[in-house]
Amino acid sequence: MLDIKDLKSRIGESEILRGLSLAVKKGEVHAIMGPNGSGKSTLAQVVAGHEDYEVTGGTVDYNGQDLLELSPEERAREGIFLGFQYPVEIPGVNNAYLLKAAVNAKRKHQGLDEIDAFEFLKLAREKMALLGMDPKFLNRGVNEGFSGGEKKRNEILQMAMLEPKLAILDETDSGLDIDALKAVAEGVNALRDPERAIILVTHYQRLLDYVEPDYVHVLSHGKIVRSGDKTLALELEERGYDWLREAATG
Amino acid sequence: MKSATLDIDRLREAVRQLPNRGLAPSREAALAHLDEHGLPTLRDEDWKYTDLSPLVDISNRWLHAGGHQPTSADRPDIADAIPGSIDAIWFVIADGAVDATPIGHSEARGIQVSRLSDAPPQFAAGRPLADLNAALRQDGLRIRITERLDKPVGILLIDRAGANVGVTQSYIEIEVAPDASADLIEYHVSDGEQDHYANSVLTLNIGEAAEVRHVRIQNRAKRHVQTGRTSVVPGRNAALRMASYDLGGALIRNDIDIDLGQPGADVSFDGLYLAGDGQHIDNHTRVDHRVGPATSSQEYRGILNGKCRCVWNGKAIVHKGADGTDARQANHNLLLSEKAEIDAKPELEIYADDVKCSHGTTVGQLDEKALFYLRSRGLGKNHATRVLTHAFAADLVQRAPVTAVTGTITDLVESRLGELIEADFIADLLT
């Protein structure tokens, strides 16, 4: 589904990704871990198409398409979803509008009619119930005045409504208390599907107790320095990142 | 700098052709005052950002063509002139001609209407453009509201396409009796390819403990020029909620003066201006807090795209002894083009001790993070831009004090924003 080869990217003058390769197949859940500044968020942003990040080398193939040629909105319509580490507050745009516009943008791309208003509400309420969200959030400004946990649930709600082929969740676990973490994890697990791939970008092992990954990768200095199964995450939890960093640079 | 001056001799001739001869003495007095003092120039502090020569030029061309008042043959249809159907008691000033017969509701209880010419006023020297109005107005509309009205009172000010360049004046006096309550709608619109200058004066006197909600919408044709002065005197414990929406026109200058001479008054006045290529929209507001306690608050927001210029100048003067004053002002601008210019100027003059005053001004572009967020959800760049721009305006639209016009304002703002951003989209493709 996603095949990244030797990807290099920088923002301004600083080079962040320095030859990263990663292959993700449908049905798989990958965890990308690594210390702060290792390039985890940059990878997520580059895959989603953020224009501040300049790609200076490498290729990204997404279901046979050159992903780097697509605009952020085209990537979204093709089934890529980025769950933001810091979801943006947008006063004046209500959540229901954004959800509906997003769903319809994708449906239009697929040649489908716009979603029926009744159908949309029913679906949104269902997904919200699953995430333990009050339906009133539909009529609030996007993330406006939401707590950290509410923002992250809102990201998962958008993901659930959009049913992406590839979801990248950027530190979705950060800043969550245990209840919110469980709710978010439940939301993610509900979306595990043989047709869908999920990439969890995380600093801590905690989320992986609830969402069990098939593969764990460690990112350091803009490269994947080690890959393994879920036991790698436990090892990192115990030993930290330094031993890997030394292994990578030494 | 010497700006163009009005051809006063031809103006005198035009004034003498006007109907309603009872108004002649006050017209002559206004003309004399105008002749003596002239129109303001860029050297006047209140006019330094707005050059009046386009309207002088239009006026002189009109005067040289004979200075005739357009003859309005038919009564305009409210539904044709204003989108959305607003259930209100309507009055019409078409091409400067006053129609004092209400439309829509034949028995308008709690409203007394008359023409200025029914009881001609003495001339009171005013600001230069008000003098021009007093000299050239055909007539005026006087509305007195004596009860708590259950329907809004609307005034349609419409200038229709003439074959020639045109100049029209409108004059409205509204008095709201003590304890009365009214929703007021003032709707300015025009069409036509010819140049036109419209000059309006509105005075609003609000009685003790009366409540007024007032919405002014300006949606003139692209080439048209409008100046307007709104003077408000709220009584003791009176409440005023006012909002203005400027969408059209080439050169627009609005002056709002609020004179708080009675304690307990609570006024708010907001404004939204949407400007595109070739537009110049200037909002000057002035609040005089003469006594306390009293509250005034204003929030103006602007969205500018293309080569255009807007001005917001908010003056609040807290006079000596006006303790207990609470004066707030805010002005926020979204500049979508490098060619757009805003001159934002808060002015607070405080001569009293126990006051709360605040002001804030921001000028900025669209939030790039929000733009990427929306695009990452599948919304196209143009769509996302429109959504964010609309969100910036949405607050002031939702706060429109007369709920009967909220739908109309929403539609007008939506459509104007569509034009502004579409234009930008095309410009992007060309560069």
Side-chain angles (χ1 to χ4, degrees):
Chain A
M1 174 175 284
L2 183 72
D3 195 7
I4 302 174
K5 285 201 176 115
D6 200 25
L7 184 63
K8 291 176 183 158
S9 171
R10 65 178 183 199
I11 184 163
E13 288 303 303
S14 59
E15 195 170 17
I16 301 175
L17 299 183
R18 303 163 197 234
L20 181 144
S21 297
L22 174 69
V24 177
K25 294 193 182 69
K26 63 184 186 180
E28 294 176 351
V29 175
H30 290 241
I32 300 208
M33 303 183 71
N36 289 328
S38 58
K40 303 190 299 290
S41 281
T42 298
L43 174 63
Q45 298 277 330
V46 168
V47 173
H50 199 296
E51 285 157 358
D52 283 356
Y53 296 88
E54 188 191 347
V55 174
T56 52
T59 57
V60 182
D61 179 277
Y62 172 68
N63 290 330
Q65 290 186 80
D66 179 359
L67 188 71
L68 300 175
E69 286 295 308
L70 303 181
S71 67
E73 54 268 35
E74 287 166 331
R75 297 180 197 202
R77 293 169 197 163
E78 286 287 339
I80 292 182
F81 178 88
L82 170 63
F84 282 65
Q85 182 178 4
Y86 303 108
V88 185
E89 295 198 19
I90 314 180
V93 178
N94 75 43
N95 240 348
Y97 178 87
L98 172 58
L99 283 173
K100 211 178 194 174
V103 167
N104 282 333
K106 190 177 171 194
R107 289 178 69 97
K108 192 178 170 196
H109 183 70
Q110 294 169 333
L112 299 171
D113 284 342
E114 292 202 343
I115 189 167
D116 172 74
F118 180 77
E119 196 59 30
F120 166 78
L121 266 184
K122 191 173 155 246
L123 194 64
R125 289 205 177 115
E126 246 173 58
K127 308 281 187 197
M128 291 177 97
L130 183 73
L131 289 163
M133 284 177 82
D134 189 327
K136 280 183 193 142
F137 278 96
L138 275 179
N139 298 319
R140 299 226 341 229
V142 173
N143 296 319
E144 188 183 2
F146 287 21
S147 71
E150 286 162 353
K151 283 181 182 168
K152 296 298 171 74
R153 283 181 213 223
N154 206 29
E155 294 291 288
I156 304 300
L157 170 65
Q158 293 175 18
M159 175 170 85
M161 292 295 288
L162 287 167
E163 301 183 329
K165 290 181 192 150
L166 171 67
I168 308 159
L169 302 177
D170 189 6
E171 308 240 358
T172 297
D173 51 335
S174 67
L176 296 186
D177 62 30
I178 191 69
D179 290 334
L181 182 69
K182 279 182 181 166
V184 162
E186 211 170 299
V188 175
N189 282 328
L191 283 161
R192 284 187 86 142
D193 187 287
E195 293 300 314
R196 180 174 294 130
I198 298 173
I199 300 175
L200 303 167
V201 173
T202 181
H203 189 77
Y204 300 105
Q205 195 268 336
R206 202 170 66 139
L207 175 67
L208 308 181
D209 287 341
Y210 301 96
V211 184
E212 207 171 282
D214 301 306
Y215 300 96
V216 174
H217 310 276
V218 179
L219 201 56
S220 180
H221 292 288
K223 275 183 175 176
I224 287 175
V225 293
R226 171 137 338 179
S227 296
D229 62 10
K230 61 182 178 180
T231 55
L232 177 58
L234 294 169
E235 197 177 351
L236 289 169
E237 183 78 354
E238 221 166 89
R239 298 177 63 180
Y241 288 111
D242 285 348
W243 62 283
L244 280 173
R245 227 180 309 204
E246 280 152 22
T249 51
Chain B
M1 142 169 222
K2 173 87 179 152
S3 73
T5 51
L6 281 171
D7 185 334
I8 210 85
D9 293 331
R10 298 230 181 201
L11 182 60
R12 189 168 285 114
E13 285 169 34
V15 166
R16 288 181 181 152
Q17 295 172 32
L18 290 170
N20 301 314
R21 301 301 305 158
L23 295 172
S26 63
R27 285 175 183 152
E28 292 293 336
L31 203 53
H33 195 256
L34 182 65
D35 190 16
E36 192 185 337
H37 296 277
L39 290 179
T41 69
L42 294 173
R43 274 183 303 190
D44 293 278
E45 184 62 25
D46 274 356
W47 294 89
K48 64 193 266 193
Y49 303 113
T50 297
D51 180 7
L52 292 182
S53 50
L55 68 86
V56 172
D57 174 58
I58 294 173
S59 301
N60 283 340
R61 280 192 282 136
W62 172 71
L63 290 168
H64 282 254
H68 303 298
Q69 297 291 332
T71 44
S72 5
D74 51 335
R75 204 179 206 198
D77 187 19
I78 303 283
D80 286 347
I82 305 176
S85 72
I86 303 169
D87 187 15
I89 302 156
W90 284 101
F91 296 92
V92 176
I93 300 180
D95 305 311
V98 173
D99 190 339
T101 321
I103 302 171
H105 299 270
S106 51
E107 272 189 54
R109 276 207 349 215
I111 307 177
Q112 295 161 5
V113 187
S114 63
R115 293 160 183 273
L116 196 66
S117 55
D118 295 338
Q122 290 279 317
F123 171 70
R127 305 295 189 105
L129 292 173
D131 288 345
L132 178 65
N133 184 284
L136 261 182
R137 66 175 75 123
Q138 295 181 45
D139 206 337
L141 183 65
R142 281 194 175 118
I143 299 176
R144 188 175 144 77
I145 292 158
T146 56
E147 290 179 23
R148 300 183 74 82
L149 301 184
D150 53 6
K151 277 202 196 311
V153 173
I155 302 164
L156 171 65
L157 299 107
I158 184 167
D159 291 302
R160 289 167 296 182
N164 298 308
V165 60
V167 173
T168 48
Q169 314 293 321
S170 63
Y171 179 83
I172 302 163
E173 273 179 23
I174 299 175
E175 192 188 334
V176 181
D179 297 313
S181 167
D183 285 340
L184 305 174
I185 303 161
E186 191 190 332
Y187 196 100
H188 299 259
V189 68
S190 60
D191 59 35
E193 293 299 311
Q194 290 296 323
D195 288 337
H196 189 92
Y197 167 46
N199 182 29
S200 73
V201 171
L202 182 138
T203 65
L204 174 58
N205 287 304
I206 307 173
E208 184 172 338
E211 293 164 18
V212 175
R213 291 154 300 273
H214 178 189
V215 165
R216 186 185 61 81
I217 299 167
Q218 179 277 115
N219 193 22
R220 287 198 171 266
K222 291 274 182 302
R223 294 174 63 92
H224 290 181
V225 172
Q226 177 173 330
T227 55
R229 180 171 291 275
T230 303
S231 306
V232 188
V233 181
R236 182 181 288 260
N237 298 327
L240 171 69
R241 297 277 166 271
M242 190 155 71
S244 302
Y245 302 87
D246 277 291
L247 307 165
L251 167 61
I252 301 293
R253 163 72 180 232
N254 301 309
D255 280 275
I256 294 180
D257 294 329
I258 297 179
D259 197 334
L260 294 168
Q262 297 290 330
D266 178 8
V267 304
S268 73
F269 49 107
D270 299 328
L272 178 68
Y273 43 94
L274 308 179
D277 259 333
Q279 282 186 285
H280 179 114
I281 302 177
D282 178 348
N283 279 291
H284 263 66
T285 70
R286 174 179 171 139
V287 188
D288 281 277
H289 281 268
R290 298 185 192 280
V291 294
T295 303
S296 72
S297 81
Q298 63 172 310
E299 180 172 345
Y300 274 74
R301 285 191 176 209
I303 298 172
L304 289 69
N305 201 3
K307 190 168 165 48
C308 63
R309 188 177 187 187
C310 291
V311 180
W312 172 80
N313 190 120
K315 185 184 273 189
I317 303 169
V318 183
H319 293 261
K320 200 159 182 264
D323 294 301
T325 287
D326 184 349
R328 278 163 283 165
Q329 43 179 243
N331 174 233
H332 302 296
N333 298 283
L334 191 54
L335 269 61
L336 299 175
S337 157
E338 284 174 8
K339 287 178 275 180
E341 181 181 339
I342 173 78
D343 296 289
K345 193 171 156 208
E347 283 184 74
L348 284 173
E349 291 177 29
I350 302 169
Y351 306 103
D353 299 323
D354 177 21
V355 298
K356 272 201 286 190
C357 291
S358 69
H359 66 81
T361 300
T362 60
V363 176
Q365 280 79 41
L366 281 175
D367 180 354
E368 290 290 335
K369 286 195 179 106
L371 202 56
F372 177 64
Y373 188 76
L374 294 180
R375 294 178 73 191
S376 79
R377 297 301 179 248
L379 278 66
K381 191 177 179 187
N382 203 28
H383 185 186
T385 303
R386 194 178 303 186
V387 165
L388 291 179
T389 310
H390 188 86
F392 182 82
D395 227 18
L396 287 188
V397 172
Q398 277 153 16
R399 265 161 40 197
V402 180
T403 50
V405 290
T406 307
T408 297
I409 296 167
T410 304
D411 291 350
L412 288 169
V413 167
E414 183 76 49
S415 121
R416 183 72 188 113
L417 284 179
E419 285 170 16
L420 286 186
I421 298 161
E422 216 61 63
D424 178 54
F425 183 62
I426 292 161
D428 272 355
L429 291 177
L430 292 175
T431 50

